[in-house]
Amino acid sequence: MRGSGLDAIVIGAGANGLVAAHYLARAGQRVLVVEQHQAVDPSADIGWIPPAVIRDLGLAGAGLRAEEPDPWITAPLPAGGTLELSRDMARSVEAIRRVSPADAEKWPDFCRRMRSLAGVLERLYLAPPPDIESNDVRELVRIAALGLYVRRLGKQTVIDLARILPMSIAELLDDWFEHDALKGALGALGIWHLKQGPRAGGTAFNFLHHHVGSPAGVFRPVQSNVTQTLNEMKRVEVRRGSRATVLAENGRATGVVLENGETIRAPLVVSSAPPRATLQPLAIELYPDFARAVGNIKARGVVARGTLTLGQPPAYSNLCIAPSLDYLERAYDDAKYGRASAAPYIEVQRTDGNRLELHVQYVPPGTQDGLAQRVAQILKVRPDQVQLQTAEESLYHGELTLDQILFMRPVPGWSRYRTPIEGLYLCGSGTHPGGGIPGAAGRNAAREIL
């Protein structure tokens, strides 16, 4: 048995778990992080890192790097050639003009309005979700301040918020554009990590969620080495190679037990693991309604990650195989009935020399037979050049659907990182603001604890 002198145990050494651990350590607590994987995941972290996290933890001086490829997306065109969208607005307008002059005229206004909406989400994501039942004056002032901020953005932003957030990404893009390749490349962002198609309600919100932190006209998030950077900082102890289960007695967390049977005691346990995986083993300590809500969290895996190895570095940084919204909808149709897509949406998200990281969607768990061959055929490479990992539960620990965001994440009534078990908190992607914002949930949870 171990635990003398420990103030807190954090489960999971991903970005959110490490951010929470570092904030607690900065406050003078002795923190142990336990992580089931032996090595640091070499994959890049995808998403906006809140500037407060970078500043508070000194990440800029500790080796943090962000990749911002330009063009930020390359989409093959059916008749040959590609549509390349750049970080420079004028260059993107010219590229779009070659395939659709009408779409080129609308592009700057579309980008400006989407950036304004994403800015509202940024404000929401830098703090716990609004507590709509609170009578606390400070909370009411915070909610009022957010409303005032939105109002100052102007009438159009207020209208856009009310209209666009519940829309499907297909409806939004059909309102603005006519060219299939442009709508396919943009629409893909709306269905990232969702077991939904582009015509499902709420996918416009998912699109805006992943636009958070990006400049106007860039609809793919940055990639960084934030987890690796945090791992290399020595502020907290990280113990790897063993899965941890929370221990609770009489409604209070008392520590964790490792796979080898070792018990580690601490009065505070903070889990960045999926809410369902954290809480279901403790069902006997939970109210039945809460346990049922946790069991009903939608976290359906549909993404297989993998690599493509070429003989030489490619001519592109990010490649998107989503020729149209119809293509994405048909790809989803297979997953809807439990099959891997016959023609999946594929995106090259990062290149490292001649090695490319792949995002392949829609692939329900256990349906990967023949998938590598289909991916190779679409990319026009040999099957032995494609290696895919097994698709698992949602990487976001809960899909970003309208019934699983803000004060309903992870479950209604328990959105502020606490759980019904005293001394047990959640800080992972399954909590507000969700996946794709590395470090935000960890920071918010640590601030609530402290």
Side-chain angles (χ1 to χ4, degrees):
M1 184 177 292
R2 175 183 171 182
S4 176
L6 277 180
D7 297 301
I9 299 169
V10 175
I11 299 174
N16 281 307
L18 288 171
V19 164
H22 280 270
Y23 271 97
L24 294 175
R26 283 175 73 246
Q29 299 197 14
R30 186 181 172 207
V31 184
L32 172 68
V33 180
V34 290
E35 165 59 46
Q36 63 176 315
H37 296 110
Q38 196 66 249
V40 180
D41 186 348
S43 301
D45 293 279
I46 298 178
W48 174 62
I49 309 166
V53 172
I54 298 172
R55 181 188 65 246
D56 292 347
L57 301 184
L59 298 181
L64 179 68
R65 299 187 306 276
E67 299 177 10
E68 299 179 338
D70 194 18
W72 56 264
I73 205 70
T74 299
L77 296 172
T82 58
L83 171 64
E84 294 187 342
L85 300 179
S86 170
R87 307 187 85 81
D88 179 84
M89 182 76 72
R91 287 171 58 191
S92 287
V93 168
E94 288 308 308
I96 296 169
R97 195 182 308 281
R98 289 192 284 271
V99 297
S100 171
D103 289 353
E105 292 300 314
K106 296 177 181 178
W107 182 251
D109 190 33
F110 173 81
C111 295
R112 179 185 59 79
R113 284 167 63 175
M114 296 306 109
R115 176 85 282 280
S116 182
L117 296 180
V120 175
L121 295 184
E122 287 172 21
R123 293 277 294 236
L124 278 168
Y125 290 175
L126 292 176
D131 184 352
I132 59 173
E133 296 181 350
S134 176
N135 292 319
D136 185 280
V137 172
R138 291 171 299 178
E139 182 64 14
L140 295 176
V141 168
R142 186 169 78 90
I143 295 172
L146 179 64
L148 183 61
Y149 168 77
V150 173
R151 182 171 180 177
R152 284 175 174 168
L153 293 175
K155 177 182 176 181
Q156 185 62 60
T157 299
V158 175
I159 293 171
D160 284 345
L161 272 175
R163 179 172 180 267
I164 291 175
L165 293 187
M167 287 179 74
S168 74
I169 186 60
E171 289 173 318
L172 173 63
L173 296 176
D174 284 342
D175 268 1
W176 281 89
F177 303 119
E178 63 182 17
H179 196 272
D180 281 341
L182 177 61
K183 291 192 288 186
L186 295 176
L189 191 64
I191 52 86
W192 257 19
H193 297 281
L194 289 182
K195 193 175 182 180
Q196 292 186 332
R199 292 186 171 84
T203 46
F205 164 80
N206 198 50
F207 172 79
L208 291 170
H209 172 87
H210 290 103
H211 185 40
V212 162
S214 294
V218 178
F219 294 98
R220 288 299 186 275
V222 299
Q223 301 179 50
S224 70
N225 66 335
V226 62
T227 296
Q228 181 182 4
T229 302
L230 289 163
N231 265 285
E232 292 172 355
M233 300 172 76
K234 304 303 181 185
R235 193 179 286 129
V236 299
E237 178 187 354
V238 180
R239 182 171 174 179
R240 294 185 167 275
S242 189
R243 186 188 299 270
T245 302
V246 178
L247 284 176
E249 299 171 6
N250 301 319
R252 179 171 184 85
T254 59
V256 300
V257 60
L258 305 182
E259 283 178 304
N260 63 6
E262 179 184 358
T263 297
I264 308 176
R265 298 284 183 180
L268 173 65
V269 179
V270 188
S271 176
S272 67
R276 197 158 56 198
T278 300
L279 293 164
Q280 281 189 331
L282 304 171
I284 196 170
E285 299 280 346
L286 303 172
Y287 294 114
D289 287 348
F290 178 83
R292 188 179 305 111
V294 169
N296 288 335
I297 294 172
K298 296 196 298 291
R300 303 164 295 185
V302 289
V303 174
R305 294 188 296 174
T307 59
L308 167 63
T309 304
L310 300 176
Q312 59 187 14
Y316 48 82
S317 299
N318 283 28
L319 181 71
C320 179
I321 307 297
S324 67
L325 294 171
D326 284 344
Y327 180 98
L328 291 171
E329 190 70 27
R330 286 193 296 269
Y332 162 66
D333 283 341
D334 283 329
K336 180 169 60 179
Y337 296 108
R339 304 185 297 266
S341 174
Y345 150 52
I346 303 169
E347 189 154 326
V348 174
Q349 292 186 321
R350 183 169 178 257
T351 60
D352 182 7
N354 64 339
R355 184 177 178 274
L356 290 66
E357 292 185 6
L358 298 179
H359 169 115
V360 182
Q361 190 174 331
Y362 298 86
V363 188
T367 65
Q368 283 187 242
D369 288 349
L371 180 65
Q373 288 80 1
R374 295 199 295 278
V375 170
Q377 184 176 18
I378 292 170
L379 295 176
K380 297 181 173 58
V381 298
R382 300 190 314 272
D384 63 293
Q385 294 176 275
V386 176
Q387 301 292 324
L388 297 178
Q389 301 171 13
T390 302
E392 299 174 350
E393 188 180 69
S394 170
L395 294 175
Y396 288 176
H397 303 173
E399 296 166 56
L400 285 163
T401 52
L402 292 181
D403 59 329
Q404 294 190 163
I405 59 171
L406 298 175
F407 51 84
M408 294 178 287
R409 190 172 185 89
V411 296
W414 293 93
S415 62
R416 303 199 123 198
Y417 312 102
R418 298 176 183 270
T419 72
I421 296 174
E422 189 177 352
L424 174 61
Y425 288 76
L426 303 176
C427 72
S429 295
T431 63
H432 173 78
I437 316 285
R443 174 180 180 268
N444 290 347
R447 287 160 60 90
E448 283 289 293
I449 293 166
L450 294 171

